[in-house]
Amino acid sequence: AQSVTQLDSQVPVFEEAPVELRCNYSSSVSVYLFWYVQYPNQGLQLLLKYLSGSTLVKGINGFEAEFNKSQTSFHLRKPSVHISDTAEYFCAVSEVGSQGNLIFGKGTKLSVKP
Amino acid sequence: DAGVIQSPRHEVTEMGQEVTLRCKPISGHDYLFWYRQTMMRGLELLIYFNNNVPIDDSGMPEDRFSAKMPNASFSTLKIQPSEPRDSAVYFCASSTGGANYGYTFGSGTRLTVV
């Protein structure tokens, strides 16, 4: 069975600083990986996804993530954050060929301070 | 497209009452998912449909929960009778091609059972 671990439940950071949100996964088969963002009182929005190909994936709002198969990680990064990036970020995994089940991590709350 | 539409946005009900949550997926999406989000358990998949047919309902907590999708543009999640521990945010999401293509989430229904 798959599982996702987001190592930090909360990450405080100052505006314009870089940030990395960590995600590790566990699966016995090949996987697809996703990052979603949830702003307060809203649903989740897809930030980026890794299906195949280049291990460095670029998403919306200047975010990027790198798939590292040997370390089973998919960390999310942004070189310079804005106040508007304050939100909760979820890493998710699905097994290749699986149609239905996207397994989510518990989320990381990013708080950007001025 | 208006996106995935859920109603109501908020629901407060008394223990023992029946609750019905509604979802309209994006037109043309052939997968529909119901998730529950709580602080303790994070995001949990309850059930998903493909072409209006329930595929996996193993996440439905117990017989008090039921879900239907009578046509491609409408789904309901019903709780009868409701209990305080059902209090959560319930999300509906839809997708074309299943989990591997990413989901579009609705804004959620915040359910409070008192």
Side-chain angles (χ1 to χ4, degrees), chain B residues 5-76:
Chain B
I5 299 173
Q6 291 187 247
S7 64
R9 287 297 309 272
H10 302 274
E11 176 80 42
V12 180
T13 190
E14 291 186 348
M15 182 174 62
Q17 297 298 305
E18 178 180 294
V19 176
T20 299
L21 312 181
R22 298 173 176 79
C23 175
K24 176 179 168 56
I26 291 175
S27 177
H29 281 191
D30 54 351
Y31 284 82
L32 184 140
F33 306 84
W34 281 101
Y35 277 84
R36 178 172 67 176
Q37 184 179 37
T38 61
M39 290 288 288
M40 292 298 295
R41 300 174 68 91
L43 275 159
E44 303 172 279
L45 177 67
L46 300 177
I47 184 171
Y48 78 93
F49 296 83
N50 178 216
N51 292 322
N52 313 338
V53 176
I55 303 300
D56 184 355
D57 65 354
S58 60
M60 296 286 262
E62 48 198 273
D63 292 345
R64 297 184 297 106
F65 285 70
S66 62
K68 294 182 179 180
M69 192 164 186
N71 57 61
S73 59
F74 184 65
S75 176
T76 60

Side-chain angles (χ1 to χ4, degrees), chain B residues 83-94:
Chain B
E83 297 182 3
R85 60 193 168 120
D86 302 329
S87 297
V89 181
Y90 291 80
F91 287 103
C92 175
S94 69

Side-chain angles (χ1 to χ4, degrees), chain A residues 32 34 36 38 41-44 46 49 51 90 94-102 104 106 109, chain B residues 9 31 33 35 37 39-43 45 48 91 97-103 105-107 110:
Chain A
Y32 297 140
F34 306 80
Y36 284 81
Q38 184 179 28
N41 300 314
Q42 295 187 26
L44 282 73
L46 181 64
K49 59 186 176 185
L51 300 182
F90 293 88
S94 70
E95 292 184 346
V96 172
S98 163
Q99 293 301 307
N101 204 358
L102 197 57
F104 286 87
K106 290 288 182 67
K109 290 184 179 177
Chain B
R9 287 297 309 272
Y31 284 82
F33 306 84
Y35 277 84
Q37 184 179 37
M39 290 288 288
M40 292 298 295
R41 300 174 68 91
L43 275 159
L45 177 67
Y48 78 93
F91 287 103
N100 298 336
Y101 294 85
Y103 299 168
F105 280 80
S107 297
R110 182 174 297 276

